[in-house]
Amino acid sequence: MCASALLVCVDVVHCSSQPQKKLINSVDSCVDEAVCGLVRANGGLSLLKGHRVVLRSDLENLRGKVALLSGGGSGHEPAHGGYVGAGMLSAAVAGGVFASPPPASILAAILSLYNAGASGVLLIVKNYTGDRLNFGLAAEQARNHGVAVDMVIVAEDCAFDRPSKAGRRGLCGTVLIHKLAGALAQEGCSLDQIVSKVTEVLKGIGTLGVSLSPCSVPGCLPSFVLPPGDMELGLGIHGEPGIKRSKVGFADEVVKTMLDHMTNPDSQSHLPLKSGDRVVVCVNNLGALSCLEMAIVARAAVICLENRGVEVARVMSGSFMTSLEMTGVSLTLMKANQETLRLFDAKTSAPAWPNLSSVCVTGRSYITDPPATSTRPQEDTYTEGPLSPVMRQVLQMICSTLLDKQEELNSLDRAAGDGDCGNTHAQAAKVIQEWLQDHVIPGCPGQLLSVLARLVQEKMGGSSGAVSFPLSLIVRTNIFEITESMHCLIHVYGGADPGDRTMVRDLLCHFHSTFHALQNSEYTKSFSSFLKATLGAEETRNLTAKAGRASYIAAERITLPDPGAVAVAAILRAVVEVLEAQK
């Protein structure tokens, strides 16, 4: 086994050999405290004494209507308690983490709803053996008390080509059934009517999940071991492994793989989907995926479906049925008609239901034109001049230098910031390289600075964009006035003073003071200012950060030069090399 493979194996074993850190008080009390926290934070909810049952606090409004009860293991928050409210569930019962709730608590919830005047109780149950058994037993006991009870089993998992006898699992599609059944109940539909309508809708719902990491029940080891760089396709919401492992791909590729699998007609559990169909899409965070990644997945899902000729009517993206801290996402598709969308759009007071737009996603104009006063550069009006060749060389050298230093700058930035300094500069370098391919270099340095400033302002974020490139490309122009202006700009808007260990403030002091001394000297002598600036970057190593992001970090942890200053010094060094070669 090679050394790198051995290190990976050791890392996986080490990570999976101890319970994951959890912000809890105790393993035994975590579910009760979580349920209590949900109720204490929401005025429309109440807690059934002696049980892990969340109820609507306005039970009197159920009189004469069908009540809805769902639930299951904890660890899937905001499911199920987060969907209790007018227009959705009347109550939710929680089991232990990933464990079905006991029949006694389910029965207590049913009787509470019945005693409040409900005309009947519908149980919405995910297709797991424990849930079916415990909810089924409670339903039988409730019928013995004279309660009209019925049960809908949600089984919309599209993972397995040939499901076992247990059938397809119930996943995030359950939340959509909560919403539709809740809207029907709110309108006063009978128990039979609700069961009939949601049973029909269930035929057009499919879900598939993918994960980049396992999860762990509090106090326990991770549910499975997933090597770095791998992903699991088709896993369940309790951390059980999926049907296939592969290397993590680009988001667009992963989404396409998921949709292809979900709609593959060769699979017994596929969702029939054809061009012209209309769907509601639910992009569900399994626990630890960032909002940025979620938005990327949502975009990919919409585009992929539209490319197939499918009309995307609604998109909901967020955490709806999680799996503790699992880093992954599931996609749920629900085929929809006008009646389904009407019920989907109906108002609800359930705290976890998102505030969704009722406008169809497909066909909507979602791009707004910029104002007429856009600052996009109009370079085609420029002409070349004697300095154009050397300025092109300078730009090319700067861009290649920053791309070469990308990881070095990121590494420096990780010690004192967010680790993106190299990426930020590389982004600007790539934009300028693209621009160089199709444009002439203006003969006037001031015009070039104007073009570059606009390019950088549009494409280069962070503190770097405001100063890096304009600073480096001051060639045969009124350099003193420009550096004086930048000197004041950084002080006024950046809030930095000399000695504060900021990206350019200390470096700029060297740069500015040297030009001040040399403003009446020959141009070639000003090269010493670049060398001084390089020195200024290195000296930031010994300064205490008083401004910028590094100022929030303990001084003893910052022992390397400021990454932004190093980047600007590298830019200036590149300028020097090109201009020296011209002599």
Side-chain angles (χ1 to χ4, degrees):
M1 180 181 290
C2 68
S4 60
L6 179 61
L7 286 175
V8 168
C9 289
V10 170
D11 183 56
V12 170
V13 171
H14 174 73
C15 290
S16 61
S17 63
Q18 53 188 342
Q20 298 294 307
K21 294 179 180 178
K22 306 281 187 184
L23 194 59
I24 60 176
N25 293 312
S26 77
V27 171
D28 294 337
S29 66
C30 64
V31 171
D32 294 299
E33 292 176 357
V35 172
C36 180
L38 171 67
V39 172
R40 292 299 302 271
N42 292 279
L45 305 180
S46 63
L47 189 62
L48 185 60
K49 186 176 181 180
H51 298 278
R52 293 168 174 167
V53 174
V54 177
L55 299 163
R56 286 175 55 173
S57 57
D58 62 341
L59 289 180
E60 66 277 5
N61 290 329
L62 291 176
R63 186 168 298 279
K65 294 180 179 179
V66 173
L68 305 183
L69 174 64
S70 188
S74 296
H76 305 304
E77 290 73 23
H80 301 83
Y83 303 118
V84 175
M88 286 193 77
L89 298 179
S90 310
V93 56
V97 176
F98 294 170
S100 178
S105 290
I106 301 172
L107 178 60
I110 295 173
L111 294 178
S112 295
L113 300 174
Y114 177 68
N115 292 337
S119 61
V121 179
L122 175 61
L123 309 183
I124 301 174
V125 181
K126 297 185 300 300
N127 190 33
Y128 285 96
T129 303
D131 288 354
R132 292 185 66 154
L133 284 173
N134 291 338
F135 275 87
L137 179 57
E140 292 298 328
Q141 293 173 336
R143 292 187 184 107
N144 291 335
H145 286 79
V147 184
V149 179
D150 207 338
M151 185 159 61
V152 169
I153 305 295
V154 181
E156 93 288 11
D157 180 20
C158 292
F160 299 97
D161 293 339
R162 288 169 177 77
S164 65
K165 184 178 180 180
R168 301 163 65 186
R169 297 170 294 194
L171 303 175
C172 192
T174 311
V175 177
L176 302 182
I177 296 301
H178 292 166
K179 182 65 183 66
L180 302 185
L184 289 168
Q186 186 72 10
E187 292 176 357
C189 292
S190 69
L191 184 57
D192 289 342
Q193 288 174 323
I194 298 173
V195 171
S196 176
K197 289 183 179 181
V198 298
T199 299
E200 188 62 29
V201 171
L202 272 170
K203 297 176 183 177
I205 299 182
T207 297
L208 188 71
V210 67
S211 180
L212 311 183
S213 78
C215 61
S216 60
V217 174
C220 299
L221 299 179
S223 52
F224 58 91
V225 175
L226 193 59
D230 281 8
M231 67 179 188
E232 188 99 20
L233 181 70
L235 72 173
I237 55 172
H238 302 97
E240 63 267 35
I243 58 169
K244 179 183 176 182
R245 285 189 181 180
S246 61
K247 293 299 179 184
V248 178
F250 294 114
D252 288 356
E253 297 170 350
V254 173
V255 169
K256 183 179 183 302
T257 298
M258 295 173 74
L259 292 174
D260 286 345
H261 187 92
M262 292 173 66
T263 58
N264 181 4
D266 294 332
S267 169
Q268 292 180 6
S269 61
H270 80 286
L271 173 68
L273 196 66
K274 63 183 185 301
S275 177
D277 284 346
R278 180 190 293 180
V279 298
V280 171
V281 179
C282 178
V283 184
N284 173 53
N285 193 337
L286 289 174
L289 215 61
S290 68
C291 292
L292 183 144
E293 293 164 283
M294 288 292 293
I296 291 171
V297 172
R299 166 195 170 274
V302 170
I303 291 175
C304 191
L305 288 166
E306 289 180 338
N307 287 342
R308 297 178 180 212
V310 175
E311 179 184 334
V312 179
R314 305 285 188 273
V315 176
M316 50 191 293
S317 178
S319 297
F320 305 111
M321 184 172 285
T322 63
S323 187
L324 291 170
E325 80 282 17
M326 185 178 286
T327 308
V329 64
S330 68
L331 294 178
T332 298
L333 304 182
M334 178 176 70
K335 296 168 76 170
N337 53 31
Q338 282 303 118
E339 173 64 7
T340 306
L341 292 178
R342 185 186 69 80
L343 298 172
F344 183 83
D345 293 338
K347 298 298 183 183
T348 176
S349 64
W353 186 258
N355 181 22
L356 295 172
S357 167
S358 59
V359 177
C360 185
V361 174
T362 297
R364 181 179 72 88
S365 176
Y366 64 95
I367 301 294
T368 301
D369 292 330
T373 56
S374 171
T375 58
R376 185 171 295 279
Q378 304 296 320
E379 303 92 341
D380 54 353
T381 61
Y382 301 140
T383 56
E384 290 186 314
L387 289 176
S388 294
V390 67
M391 289 193 290
R392 179 176 288 274
Q393 290 180 46
V394 167
L395 280 172
Q396 290 171 335
M397 176 64 80
I398 288 173
C399 290
S400 61
T401 297
L402 290 179
L403 290 171
D404 289 342
K405 284 186 167 290
Q406 181 174 356
E407 183 49 41
E408 176 189 340
L409 295 174
N410 282 342
S411 179
L412 289 171
D413 198 24
R414 281 192 289 270
D418 51 9
D420 69 343
C421 182
N423 293 347
T424 302
H425 284 84
Q427 182 182 23
K430 291 174 183 176
V431 169
I432 292 177
Q433 283 180 334
E434 292 176 3
W435 180 84
L436 286 172
Q437 294 175 5
D438 304 315
H439 297 83
V440 301
I441 300 295
C444 171
Q447 289 179 328
L448 177 59
L449 283 172
S450 177
V451 170
L452 292 174
R454 290 169 183 163
L455 276 174
V456 168
Q457 285 178 48
E458 286 187 359
K459 301 295 184 181
M460 185 179 181
S463 309
S464 317
V467 292
S468 297
F469 281 89
L471 178 65
S472 65
L473 290 168
I474 302 168
V475 181
R476 284 186 185 273
T477 188
N478 193 339
I479 196 163
F480 177 71
E481 290 184 6
I482 293 176
T483 54
E484 178 73 26
S485 298
M486 293 180 67
H487 193 68
C488 295
L489 177 71
I490 295 166
H491 173 67
V492 172
Y493 291 102
D497 291 307
D500 282 352
R501 197 189 189 278
T502 54
M503 170 187 161
V504 293
R505 179 67 169 157
D506 295 289
L507 177 147
L508 191 59
C509 286
H510 290 280
F511 189 80
H512 176 267
S513 62
T514 307
F515 267 118
H516 185 77
L518 295 171
Q519 60 178 311
N520 296 318
S521 303
E522 295 180 12
Y523 173 71
T524 53
K525 290 183 181 180
S526 65
F527 284 134
S528 63
S529 65
F530 294 112
L531 302 179
K532 280 277 199 176
T534 302
L535 230 80
E538 179 59 30
E539 287 178 4
T540 61
R541 178 194 299 270
N542 304 315
L543 297 176
T544 299
K546 299 175 184 175
R549 199 165 290 167
S551 64
Y552 304 112
I553 300 174
E556 60 269 17
R557 292 177 55 189
I558 304 177
T559 59
L560 300 173
D562 179 79
V566 171
V568 175
I571 293 171
L572 298 179
R573 194 178 299 112
V575 175
V576 170
E577 291 178 8
V578 173
L579 296 184
E580 284 283 6
Q582 304 298 314
K583 294 170 64 176

